[in-house]
Amino acid sequence: QVQLVESGGGSMQPGGSLRLSCAASGSILSTYHMAWYRQAPGKQRDLVAAITRGGTTNYADSVKGRFTISRDNAKNTVYLQMNNLKPEDTAVYYCHAYYGPRNYWGQGTQVTVSS
């Protein structure tokens, strides 16, 4: 019923930029809040950024000023613009849709930041 597909990951040098995209099925973005999480090997999956269906955003302290989450409901897509990337940003990034008890996860996209 609901499918989230991430894209835009890859390898980048420190200080570089990447933009992640999450394409959602149907009209999910008209109802659901959206978020990006990330998980490094051996680490907990942590919230990176979230945006409500009304457009209110929240960010982890570690990415404030560098990352920007946005959504385009008409395109059923949520984005994560990542600037000034650091090696510690290396992780698998997951798209998340949630509304009340309902929640869905994408498969994840790898981001690697190294010189």
Side-chain angles (χ1 to χ4, degrees):
Q1 180 184 3
V2 177
Q3 182 173 317
L4 304 174
V5 180
E6 300 99 334
S7 62
S11 298
M12 181 59 63
Q13 296 178 346
S17 298
L18 288 171
R19 188 181 74 162
L20 306 183
S21 298
C22 173
S25 63
S27 59
I28 187 170
L29 264 66
S30 69
T31 301
Y32 285 72
H33 313 300
M34 303 295 296
W36 287 95
Y37 286 73
R38 67 186 181 187
Q39 186 170 25
K43 299 295 183 68
Q44 180 179 339
R45 184 176 298 186
D46 293 326
L47 176 67
V48 176
I51 183 168
T52 70
R53 63 180 180 177
T56 301
T57 59
N58 287 284
Y59 297 92
D61 288 342
S62 59
V63 306
K64 285 182 179 177
R66 299 189 298 119
F67 291 10
T68 302
I69 188 171
S70 62
R71 65 193 297 158
D72 188 334
N73 288 359
K75 296 181 179 179
N76 294 313
T77 303
V78 63
Y79 305 95
L80 184 68
Q81 178 67 44
M82 305 185 295
N83 297 328
N84 191 24
L85 284 162
K86 302 177 179 180
E88 50 263 44
D89 295 321
T90 296
V92 177
Y93 284 71
Y94 296 91
C95 183
H96 182 227
Y98 60 105
Y99 184 73
R102 300 180 178 88
N103 69 99
Y104 304 93
W105 292 93
Q107 292 181 312
T109 185
Q110 177 71 47
V111 172
T112 302
V113 184
S114 62
S115 59

